[in-house]
Amino acid sequence: MVKYTSKTELEVRARQLLKERGVQIDDIAELVYYLQSKYHKDLTMDTCRYNVNRVLTKREVQNAVITGIELDMLAEKKLLSEPLQETIQIDEGLYGIDEVIALSIVNVYGSIGFTNFGYIDKQKPGILEKLNDKSSGEIHTFLDDIVGAIAAAASSRLAHGDAENEHEELDG
């Protein structure tokens, strides 16, 4: 019988890989703040951090994080066959699989995440600028999109939470 990895093990590994690749929870929370501060006048970093952490509890997100980062690390070690090796190494613009994996994260909290993801992917603020810097020799073809997607999903979660709170106030 196949032993499935428990959710807890997946989450621990996903968080560990993010940290090993230089991404802290606060880096992602700052992206959430970037996306949402103009819509939430009292938004705090604690709220942003909370929503990022909630996104990271989702199994789909954990699987996407682990898969994408592992592919980046294999590419750094030049362990992929051609033409995939070069495609990931140079983050070839028409590849698109990195965005497809990211969109699996964005989907977790509904269609508003697509808008958030597209915007942040184009702007590349904060940690995304660093991850896109090719001069370091590190490969973050998947990681930059994954981090942006986690921020977009956390922003969507925040928006959905506000909508639910507004609905409860109207019903009350």
Side-chain angles (χ1 to χ4, degrees), residues 113-125:
F114 285 99
T115 305
N116 287 326
F117 177 69
Y119 179 74
I120 205 161
D121 189 46
K122 193 74 169 164
Q123 297 294 312
K124 302 217 186 300

Side-chain angles (χ1 to χ4, degrees), residues 61-140:
V61 174
Q62 297 157 7
N63 284 323
V65 168
I66 291 167
T67 301
I69 291 175
E70 290 285 341
L71 286 167
D72 283 344
M73 292 188 317
L74 288 170
E76 275 182 9
K77 295 174 184 172
K78 302 192 182 315
L79 293 174
L80 300 172
S81 61
E82 293 297 348
L84 185 60
Q85 175 64 44
E86 183 176 0
T87 300
I88 293 176
Q89 188 171 323
I90 66 170
D91 196 2
E92 201 266 309
L94 295 176
Y95 177 57
I97 304 302
D98 47 336
E99 281 86 8
V100 170
I101 289 177
L103 291 176
S104 72
I105 295 170
V106 169
N107 270 332
V108 172
Y109 290 101
S111 60
I112 191 172
F114 285 99
T115 305
N116 287 326
F117 177 69
Y119 179 74
I120 205 161
D121 189 46
K122 193 74 169 164
Q123 297 294 312
K124 302 217 186 300
I127 187 71
L128 297 180
E129 181 179 17
K130 178 184 174 202
L131 294 174
N132 275 284
D133 180 7
K134 311 278 188 270
S135 68
S136 71
E138 295 177 319
I139 295 174
H140 300 299

Side-chain angles (χ1 to χ4, degrees), residues 12-36:
V12 167
R13 181 64 179 146
R15 289 174 179 274
Q16 178 185 23
L17 283 170
L18 286 168
K19 189 179 267 189
E20 286 174 9
R21 301 299 285 181
V23 178
Q24 304 297 321
I25 297 302
D26 279 357
D27 295 327
I28 306 172
E30 287 172 8
L31 297 175
V32 175
Y33 191 85
Y34 176 84
L35 286 168
Q36 293 297 303

Side-chain angles (χ1 to χ4, degrees), residues 1 7 14 28 31 46 66 150 154 164 172:
M1 179 176 236
K7 181 177 178 183
I28 306 172
L31 297 175
D46 283 340
I66 291 167
I150 294 168
E164 287 172 14

